[in-house]
Amino acid sequence: CQHGCPSPPPQVVCDSFIDEFWDAWRHESECWEALEVALEKYPIALNIDENRKWLKGYFASIVADKFIDPDSFIKNIVVAKNLVVVVHILEDYVPSRSIDDILLRVGTKMMDTAGGCERSLVSFCSKRISCSCLDE
């Protein structure tokens, strides 16, 4: 199961955006900084609703997979929590606002989820994926 992440992405730019995000995160300390790097290079990835929706599903499905598959490439709960921050940013993203503005807007909600226990992460993801894999 891909946990609601539609395949393939609506546009090739989504793949490029994801590659840039993962590469940038290797060099940046915070996930939102990597998101800014990827956004700067591929703004159309977030400026089109269909792309943003697909990316949100992609990141939510990766977090969901962390709790379902013991062989998931995400081994660290901190990575999962950071990807929840990315999903929060994508949910509130508007092209006219900076990532910093969005972080200020959703900060409390984001910290409640990302700073919570694994159960709060599972609950967050189960509301954002279309399958029932996290219902157990």
Side-chain angles (χ1 to χ4, degrees):
C1 178
Q2 293 190 10
H3 313 303
C5 183
S7 184
Q11 293 186 355
V12 175
V13 72
C14 291
D15 279 335
S16 300
F17 181 89
I18 288 167
D19 290 343
E20 186 67 28
F21 171 81
W22 291 120
D23 186 54
W25 201 7
R26 285 185 200 73
H27 302 93
E28 302 293 337
S29 59
E30 302 293 345
C31 63
W32 56 83
E33 292 171 335
L35 197 62
E36 286 177 320
V37 169
L39 178 59
E40 189 175 300
K41 192 163 184 180
Y42 300 102
I44 196 167
L46 296 188
N47 292 345
I48 295 176
D49 290 341
E50 182 182 13
N51 292 348
R52 192 170 51 255
K53 181 179 177 182
W54 187 89
L55 288 165
K56 184 179 88 169
Y58 167 80
F59 288 115
S61 70
I62 289 175
V63 176
D65 199 46
K66 191 264 183 273
F67 298 107
I68 297 165
D69 182 4
D71 296 325
S72 168
F73 81 92
I74 297 179
K75 305 292 184 206
N76 188 327
I77 191 70
V78 175
V79 174
K81 288 180 177 191
N82 275 281
L83 291 178
V84 164
V85 170
V86 170
V87 173
H88 271 297
I89 291 169
L90 293 175
E91 286 179 343
D92 208 60
Y93 183 80
V94 175
S96 61
R97 282 193 297 212
S98 72
I99 299 292
D100 288 338
D101 289 343
I102 295 168
L103 286 170
L104 289 173
R105 246 187 89 132
V106 299
T108 303
K109 177 173 63 169
M110 184 177 60
M111 293 312 292
D112 285 347
T113 307
C117 62
E118 284 190 23
R119 184 176 177 169
S120 62
L121 294 175
V122 169
S123 175
F124 174 85
C125 287
S126 69
K127 294 174 185 169
R128 286 157 179 83
I129 61 173
S130 59
C131 66
S132 59
C133 292
L134 288 175
D135 290 349
E136 296 141 18

